[in-house]
Amino acid sequence: MRKGKRREDEAASTDHQVMGAHPEEAPQVVTLTAEDAEDASGKRAKGSHARQGQAAYIQKSARMRKILIAIIILLVLLLVGAGVLGWQLYQTARNTAVQQTQIAEIEATTNADQAMKDTSATTSKKTTVPDLVGLLGKSQDEAIQALSHGARVSSAVEVNEEGNPIRMEVRVALTEEPADSRGGTPTVLLSLNEGGAIIRAGYTSSTSSLGYGSLSFSDAVTNESIVEKTLDEAGLAVPEGSAKLPEDKMQYSTYASDGTTLTKESFTFSGTGTANGAEVPWSSTLTYDYSMANATGNLVDTIRTILVYVGM
């Protein structure tokens, strides 16, 4: 009995030593609460959403880059196209300007050559103004004989106007004088009174036949004194500067219906001169007809004529 009790006491003592010797080495049991489980689950969920949001942002950024690249490419293409178009327009304008310059130069050269030809062809006189003053007082037959140069009556018209001393107007063509393609044949105009005597004598011809080139209307009157020189040839002394154009060009200019195309320049001058110590009235009409020149586009085709009268 004592041996049995001693063994029980030893066993109990051993158990007590084992349990009391290293109390910290006893295993611990950790128990998770519901809140801890929820926090862990929430963290996993939040991490998943963050990854999804990041992926969406990356995709959106990629799309924006593609769109920007496409826009940049489009702008570059537009700039290149605009540059090509601008270059083509520049080349076209440049070629047009060059062509216009060449055409202008050709026209200027052609006109200059034509003007030189026209001037050289008319610097020498083709006809001479007859002595009109010497015809005054003569009969028609006497005048024709004095004129010679193939003088031939081309028309005779009776005049019956009250108060007008002229009773017959006779046109005498000088057929042996060189005819002008524009101004026609030089012609003498005789005005006879009731007794058959010449009281006014006139002459008409192209200015080129008288030795005048392609002068402008104002130059022919002002600078070349075409009226005074023609009257002087006709036997009447007229002071230089007697023929003066009005300051207003509209008084001697005629325009087409468009208001800008000049069709004719014409003006009649008048005054008195001296012949054989006597004072004799005179009149002169200078006419530039641009009808044919407007049609051909060449001023050389202008019909330039002068008419002078002495007497009455």
Side-chain angles (χ1 to χ4, degrees):
M1 290 292 290
R2 291 180 179 176
K3 290 181 181 180
K5 186 176 181 180
R6 190 181 298 123
R7 290 176 181 171
E8 289 177 1
D9 291 339
E10 291 175 358
S13 177
T14 304
D15 293 337
H16 179 73
Q17 290 177 357
V18 172
M19 295 181 62
H22 301 282
E24 70 278 2
E25 295 179 1
Q28 297 179 357
V29 178
V30 178
T31 303
L32 295 175
T33 64
E35 293 180 357
D36 295 334
E38 185 177 353
D39 291 341
S41 176
K43 290 180 180 178
R44 288 193 298 270
K46 289 181 180 178
S48 176
H49 287 311
R51 288 192 295 271
Q52 291 178 358
Q54 185 178 7
Y57 174 77
I58 293 173
Q59 292 177 357
K60 185 176 181 180
S61 298
R63 285 196 300 270
M64 288 301 295
R65 284 196 299 271
K66 291 179 180 179
I67 293 172
L68 289 175
I69 292 172
I71 292 173
I72 292 171
I73 292 174
L74 180 60
L75 289 175
V76 170
L77 292 176
L78 288 175
L79 290 174
V80 172
V84 172
L85 180 60
W87 175 255
Q88 291 178 346
L89 291 175
Y90 169 76
Q91 289 293 334
T92 301
R94 181 181 178 184
N95 293 337
T96 302
V98 171
Q99 291 175 357
Q100 290 177 347
T101 301
Q102 291 175 345
I103 291 173
E105 290 176 352
I106 293 173
E107 289 180 350
T109 302
T110 303
N111 292 337
D113 291 343
Q114 188 62 47
M116 290 179 64
K117 290 179 181 179
D118 186 68
T119 302
S120 63
T122 57
T123 48
S124 57
K125 288 173 62 66
K126 295 179 182 179
T127 185
T128 301
V129 182
D131 181 8
L132 299 180
V133 174
L135 298 179
L136 297 177
K138 295 183 181 298
S139 66
Q140 176 179 316
D141 292 339
E142 290 173 338
I144 291 175
Q145 184 177 1
L147 288 170
S148 65
H149 295 282
R152 186 177 63 188
V153 175
S154 58
S155 68
V157 179
E158 293 185 359
V159 178
N160 188 14
E161 297 177 359
E162 186 177 352
N164 189 350
I166 298 175
R167 287 292 177 264
M168 183 75 70
E169 291 281 9
V170 179
R171 294 178 65 89
V172 180
L174 305 179
T175 59
E176 292 181 0
E177 291 291 294
D180 183 80
S181 59
R182 302 182 185 90
T185 302
T187 301
V188 172
L189 308 172
L190 303 175
S191 299
L192 285 67
N193 62 11
E194 189 173 0
I198 297 172
I199 56 176
R200 186 178 69 171
Y203 175 80
T204 182
S205 171
S206 68
T207 60
S208 61
S209 292
L210 295 176
Y212 298 95
S214 301
L215 301 170
S216 69
F217 190 82
S218 60
D219 282 344
V221 175
T222 306
N223 298 330
E224 289 297 322
S225 302
I226 187 172
V227 174
E228 292 90 337
K229 290 179 180 178
T230 304
L231 287 169
D232 184 67
E233 286 189 54
L236 188 65
V238 177
E240 189 171 345
S242 297
K244 294 182 179 180
L245 285 171
E247 294 182 0
D248 184 6
K249 187 178 179 180
M250 294 301 296
Q251 294 187 30
Y252 58 88
S253 302
T254 302
Y255 290 88
S257 58
D258 59 9
T260 58
T261 303
L262 183 64
T263 58
K264 181 185 289 187
E265 287 181 297
S266 181
F267 193 75
T268 299
F269 311 89
S270 61
T272 58
T274 57
N276 302 321
E279 194 171 87
V280 179
W282 63 267
S283 67
S284 176
T285 301
L286 181 66
T287 301
Y288 278 25
D289 188 343
Y290 299 102
S291 301
M292 185 179 296
N294 290 334
T296 62
N298 194 339
L299 284 176
V300 175
D301 293 324
T302 302
I303 299 175
R304 303 173 176 88
T305 59
I306 186 170
L307 167 65
V308 293
Y309 273 110
V310 297
M312 286 190 57

